[in-house]
């Protein structure tokens, strides 16, 4: 559980949150991992859309073997 401290203005309205550095570093790490996962999923989604479009157009796509041989 994260130990948060709230900063308030003179009227008592919250204006900021203080997060312990260890918690902040963990949040940042999780955020970066989530961004990487999202990029991968978006790439897969784009590839699937390309395959669907190629099928509609009867267009031949590169085989997996050919793709791997290029790498």
């Amino acid at each position: 559980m994260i130990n948060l401290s709230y900063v308030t203005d003179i009227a008592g309205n919250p204006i900021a949150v203080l997060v312990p550095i260890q918690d902040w570093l963990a949040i940042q790490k999780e955020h970066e991992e989530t961004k990487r996962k999202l990029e991968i999923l978006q790439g897969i989604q784009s590839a699937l859309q390309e395959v669907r479009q190629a099928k509609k157009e009867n267009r031949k796509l590169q085989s997996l073997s050919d793709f791997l041989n290029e790498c």
Side-chain angles (χ1 to χ4, degrees), residues 48-61:
L48 291 173
Q49 288 173 347
E50 182 180 350
V51 168
R52 284 188 207 105
Q53 188 63 34
K55 283 184 177 182
K56 285 181 183 177
E57 299 170 356
N58 272 341
R59 183 170 36 99
K60 186 176 178 175
L61 295 173

Side-chain angles (χ1 to χ4, degrees), residues 1 5 7 9-10 13 15-16 18 23-24 29 32-33 37 43 48-50 52 54 56-57 59 65 68 70:
M1 180 169 207
S5 298
V7 178
D9 63 14
I10 198 160
N13 300 311
I15 58 171
L18 296 174
D23 293 333
W24 177 248
K29 181 179 177 185
E32 288 302 315
E33 290 171 0
K37 288 176 186 176
L48 291 173
Q49 288 173 347
E50 182 180 350
R52 284 188 207 105
K56 285 181 183 177
E57 299 170 356
R59 183 170 36 99
S65 297
L68 292 175
E70 286 182 4

Side-chain angles (χ1 to χ4, degrees), residues 38-53:
L38 179 61
E39 288 170 0
I40 290 168
L41 291 173
Q42 288 173 332
I44 292 170
Q45 183 180 34
S46 175
L48 291 173
Q49 288 173 347
E50 182 180 350
V51 168
R52 284 188 207 105
Q53 188 63 34

